[in-house]
Amino acid sequence: MRVWTSFAAACALAVGAGSIAVAKESAPAVKAIQQMSPAEMERVRTAGAQILFWSDAQRSANFRAMEAQFPGTTAKAGTPRALHKGAALPVSDAEIEAFMTAQNVAGLMVIQDGKVRLERYGLGLGAQDRWTSFSVAKSFTSTLVGAAVKDGLITSVDDPVTKYVPELKGSGYDGVSVKQILTMTSGVKWNEDYTDPNSDVVKMLSVAVKPGEDPNSAYMKTLPREAEPGTKWVYKTGETNLIGVIVQRATGKTLTEYAEEKIVKPAGFEGDLFWMVDSAGQNVGGCCLSIRLADYARMG
């Protein structure tokens, strides 16, 4: 393995999918963000089935404008952090274009030592446009956990998840810690098959819930345990959704409000951040934020 003495970060956007106070013993009220119409509620409830099974043409058209498709909240940009130009990478334009075409890449940026060495756009995307994150959002949500711990709003990642999401008591999440949710080692059974319309990742937000009820815990509490907590890793978008619920309950803020304070403005984003919400009006922790290519690079 070669050890690099300088920091390098690369960010690519493609058409393929997927690339406090202490909580009380009753479920805290979810902060209302807006009144959704029945049509918006239905789009939110069926978002997984819609987005995961879009054609490439639909993805190319919609991934740049998710706010036109689904309700959500916005974190406002502040003073931009400058990204200065560096020496161009020793790669020909033809090679870069061939790669982007083959991979359906909408944006590609490489930063080394704080300087931009490569920046290219495709599929009609521009530098001022946003593109959806899919699971890159998980890194934003887990970063906000760290901020909430530092702020003393989450006591410890060793706390049981039921301390913050008491609706999960009596389910497979009994005895599971916040850390085990963060590392996806809860031992709870899960299917993340994006091609299967009956998989958990497709169905997780589609459950019918009462107004204001958390659809994440409503679905997750129905899942059986298949291993002891901490002994088996399985990739689970639903568990990062639960992390988003924990952060929002612990801070009393939407993820966009807390991200604006802890990520967007400190990192010097040049554009606003849009984040989709679920049927309870909570930002979806496991996916679905949209920012500019350069702001993904700033986060990196």
Side-chain angles (χ1 to χ4, degrees):
M1 179 182 293
R2 182 172 182 181
V3 178
W4 293 92
T5 57
S6 60
F7 173 78
C11 181
L13 308 178
V15 163
S19 2
I20 307 185
V22 172
K24 296 180 180 179
E25 287 302 301
S26 59
V30 177
K31 183 175 182 178
I33 56 138
Q34 63 191 73
Q35 184 67 41
M36 291 188 212
S37 68
E40 286 176 322
M41 289 285 290
E42 184 62 20
R43 282 202 298 274
V44 167
R45 286 186 62 250
T46 60
Q50 292 180 50
I51 297 170
L52 292 174
F53 300 101
W54 276 342
S55 67
D56 277 354
Q58 288 174 304
R59 291 170 177 172
S60 182
N62 294 332
F63 284 3
R64 74 193 68 223
M66 297 298 275
E67 60 270 36
Q69 299 294 323
F70 302 99
T73 57
T74 301
K76 304 298 290 184
T79 303
R81 180 189 299 268
L83 294 177
H84 299 292
K85 295 265 182 204
L89 286 179
V91 184
S92 71
D93 287 342
E95 289 178 286
I96 295 169
E97 289 172 8
F99 168 78
M100 292 182 67
T101 299
Q103 301 299 324
N104 280 344
V105 175
L108 179 64
M109 179 177 284
V110 176
I111 290 179
Q112 186 176 28
D113 296 335
K115 295 183 178 180
V116 179
R117 299 197 61 190
L118 175 67
E119 182 175 2
R120 294 284 192 283
Y121 296 91
L123 303 178
L125 192 76
Q128 308 303 310
D129 297 325
R130 293 189 289 222
W131 193 267
T132 193
S133 65
F134 280 90
S135 289
V136 173
K138 292 179 171 67
S139 293
F140 285 73
T141 303
S142 60
T143 296
L144 295 179
V145 171
V149 170
K150 184 177 181 180
D151 288 347
L153 303 176
I154 292 176
T155 310
S156 169
V157 294
D158 293 321
D159 287 344
V161 67
T162 52
K163 178 178 180 180
Y164 301 93
V165 191
E167 307 97 298
L168 293 177
K169 287 183 177 179
S171 74
Y173 285 95
D174 276 335
V176 174
S177 69
V178 173
K179 183 177 182 179
Q180 288 162 341
I181 299 292
L182 280 165
T183 57
M184 301 181 184
T185 58
S186 67
V188 172
K189 191 174 182 180
W190 180 263
N191 178 355
E192 186 92 6
D193 186 347
Y194 303 119
T195 65
D196 180 0
N198 291 312
S199 67
D200 296 307
V201 72
V202 173
K203 297 191 301 182
M204 62 182 170
L205 296 180
S206 66
V207 293
V209 296
K210 298 175 184 176
E213 185 180 356
D214 172 32
N216 303 281
S217 58
Y219 185 78
M220 304 298 278
K221 70 183 180 183
T222 68
L223 302 174
R225 179 176 288 178
E226 65 175 355
E228 283 300 305
T231 64
K232 182 177 181 179
W233 178 86
V234 177
Y235 189 86
K236 302 171 188 170
T237 293
E239 295 199 333
T240 312
N241 286 356
L242 286 178
I243 289 296
V245 173
I246 291 170
V247 170
Q248 289 171 104
R249 290 183 177 183
T251 63
K253 300 176 180 179
T254 62
L255 293 183
T256 45
E257 288 174 322
Y258 204 45
E260 181 176 307
E261 176 186 344
K262 300 298 181 179
I263 296 175
V264 173
K265 289 185 175 175
F269 281 18
E270 65 183 31
D272 296 344
L273 178 155
F274 170 81
W275 207 326
M276 285 172 54
V277 296
D278 61 27
S279 61
Q282 307 166 114
N283 295 119
V284 182
C287 76
C288 309
L289 63 81
S290 298
I291 56 177
R292 299 179 185 182
L293 175 64
D295 290 334
Y296 282 114
R298 287 179 174 91
M299 177 60 170

